[in-house]
Amino acid sequence: MKNKICILILLLISLNAFCQKKILLLNKKNEPIQFANVKYGLKTGVYSNETGYFQITANENDTIKISSVGYKQYIILNKYIKDTVILEDDIIELKEIIISNKINKIKKVSKIKTKNSSEFYDGFRTSNGNEIATLIENNFPNNTVKLKKIIVPILTKTMNYRLLNKSQVLKKFPFQTYFRINFYENKNNCPGEKINEDNIIVKIDENSASDFQIDLKSNNIYIPENGFFVSIENLGEKNNSNDLFLTDSNYKNKADTFLMPQFILTNKLEKKITFFKNNFNEKNQWKNISDNDIKLSVNSKKESNVNLGIGYELEIYE
């Protein structure tokens, strides 16, 4: 009887230690803050969804850190957090890449094709919170250059990893993953400070084209003389109701799952210009993807340059 009581007490302590909460994130205008980064623990986190909600399963003494561009970071112990959190505005000067009211005449359109491999194992899958960035150079320094679109080579077919010992044919499985497109300054051929504050959100599913196109013409994005980095940040999956999953690494293990699609890598570029980071990691540092023990089937040499072989279209103004 005593043993049963001890087990019951331990269970109650365990349930009290880890508490699941659903929280609404708002600004001072009572508007939902979408896709904010909510981080706790060493490598655990989640994003707020389109209605501003996020869900965590954390120890009561865990520190919760909430951040979003344009707002002051909010830090609080989990046991003190309320059902609704209001973030304060933060006036910051971003190195803007957006120029309005351009009246120059378009001189030409430049198209850079994607560089990829058709090999299945040349794909790179990301998990919730991962971000991959690559450099777009400006080869027209004497002109105004507008980024019209980017084309990302992806693979939407995969295999059933539970049946690895059996012969399989690649096929499509249903998925919906949402990503945010970010831009960073080029700091000595490495991503520097973020230079856009708007949320450019795209959805990729099993029916997306292998050359996934992201139209940016209406965003009026102009490339600096030394170029900039464009990144693809994994926000997580969507359910059948088109809501962002309220998940973290302790809830259905979604944050530890590598999500589709696969981004196609290449070793056909001379420079090492593709970087990777985990936004839920406390260090949150960019690492060159070539140094991340990734091997391509087209070339498994360690010294080969591994990059995300994106394509893009530019409008060159006189």
Side-chain angles (χ1 to χ4, degrees):
M1 183 67 180
K2 289 183 178 180
N3 289 337
K4 290 182 179 180
I5 293 174
C6 290
I7 292 172
L8 181 60
I9 291 172
L10 289 173
L11 285 173
L12 290 173
I13 292 173
S14 177
L15 289 173
N16 185 53
F18 283 90
C19 183
Q20 185 172 302
K21 299 178 180 179
K22 186 174 181 179
I23 298 163
L24 176 62
L25 192 60
L26 301 173
N27 60 21
K28 286 190 173 182
K29 297 179 181 179
N30 284 328
E31 298 169 334
I33 299 177
Q34 303 176 341
F35 311 116
N37 184 310
V38 182
K39 181 165 52 179
Y40 56 98
L42 294 177
K43 296 181 180 180
T44 308
V46 66
Y47 291 95
S48 60
N49 68 3
E50 290 173 315
T51 57
Y53 281 99
F54 64 89
Q55 188 164 287
I56 57 174
T57 305
N59 190 295
E60 287 288 77
N61 290 318
D62 280 345
T63 299
I64 311 297
K65 298 179 181 179
I66 305 173
S67 58
S68 182
V69 174
Y71 300 95
K72 293 181 180 179
Q73 187 180 46
Y74 183 85
I75 302 176
I76 191 172
L77 285 178
N78 184 34
K79 61 184 175 182
Y80 297 131
I81 198 167
K82 297 182 179 180
D83 293 339
T84 301
V85 172
I86 298 176
L87 297 189
E88 294 184 14
D89 295 338
D90 188 17
I91 301 175
I92 57 175
E93 292 185 5
L94 294 175
K95 298 178 181 179
E96 286 290 343
I97 55 173
I98 298 178
I99 304 174
S100 61
N101 300 323
K102 296 300 295 185
I103 57 175
N104 293 17
K105 184 179 179 182
I106 295 178
K107 184 177 181 180
K108 64 178 179 179
V109 175
S110 176
K111 296 182 180 182
I112 307 299
K113 293 182 179 181
T114 58
K115 297 178 176 62
N116 57 58
S117 168
S118 60
E119 295 290 336
F120 172 66
Y121 287 108
D122 289 350
F124 179 76
R125 292 167 68 176
T126 60
S127 62
N128 190 9
N130 290 171
E131 189 170 0
I132 183 170
T134 194
L135 179 64
I136 293 182
E137 296 180 301
N138 186 351
N139 296 318
F140 307 91
N142 297 322
N143 299 92
T144 299
V145 182
K146 179 179 179 179
L147 181 61
K148 183 179 178 182
K149 70 170 62 173
I150 58 175
I151 305 102
V152 184
I154 61 172
L155 185 64
T156 58
K157 292 182 179 181
T158 187
M159 64 174 67
N160 188 337
Y161 286 93
R162 296 178 181 177
L163 304 174
L164 285 178
N165 59 336
K166 297 183 179 181
S167 177
Q168 296 188 60
V169 177
L170 296 182
K171 63 179 183 178
K172 293 182 178 181
F173 294 91
F175 73 90
Q176 291 187 76
T177 310
Y178 272 60
F179 297 88
R180 173 163 49 202
I181 308 302
N182 302 312
F183 296 92
Y184 296 87
E185 67 175 336
N186 178 11
K187 188 175 182 180
N188 299 320
N189 287 329
C190 293
E193 295 295 323
K194 189 175 179 180
I195 52 179
N196 71 301
E197 62 178 355
D198 53 332
N199 278 321
I200 303 174
I201 309 299
V202 298
K203 179 188 77 171
I204 301 179
D205 59 30
E206 71 275 11
N207 296 315
S208 297
S210 58
D211 277 346
F212 184 75
Q213 300 192 20
I214 303 170
D215 188 354
L216 298 169
K217 189 173 182 178
S218 63
N219 295 92
N220 293 323
I221 297 172
Y222 292 82
I223 303 179
E225 289 187 9
N226 66 334
F228 56 37
F229 280 84
V230 57
S231 79
I232 304 170
E233 180 183 5
N234 190 326
L235 300 176
E237 293 180 310
K238 286 259 182 167
N239 58 25
N240 293 331
S241 300
N242 209 35
D243 292 324
L244 190 69
F245 273 118
L246 299 168
T247 56
D248 57 42
S249 61
N250 292 312
Y251 183 70
K252 294 185 179 179
N253 260 348
K254 291 294 182 182
D256 288 333
T257 303
F258 290 100
L259 304 175
M260 290 293 287
Q262 294 201 94
F263 296 101
I264 303 300
L265 301 175
T266 180
N267 60 358
K268 297 178 181 178
L269 300 175
E270 295 181 0
K271 299 179 181 179
K272 297 181 179 181
I273 56 173
T274 299
F275 293 79
F276 171 86
K277 72 172 179 176
N278 181 356
N279 287 306
F280 297 148
N281 192 313
E282 274 298 308
K283 294 181 179 179
N284 195 23
Q285 295 177 341
W286 289 105
K287 294 183 179 180
N288 194 290
I289 202 170
S290 295
D291 303 326
N292 205 28
D293 297 326
I294 294 175
K295 295 182 179 181
L296 290 176
S297 59
V298 291
N299 189 341
S300 60
K301 294 181 180 179
K302 291 183 179 179
E303 65 270 18
S304 64
N305 296 337
V306 181
N307 289 288
L308 182 65
I310 69 167
Y312 46 92
E313 288 188 16
L314 307 173
E315 288 183 348
I316 316 301
Y317 290 82
E318 294 180 347

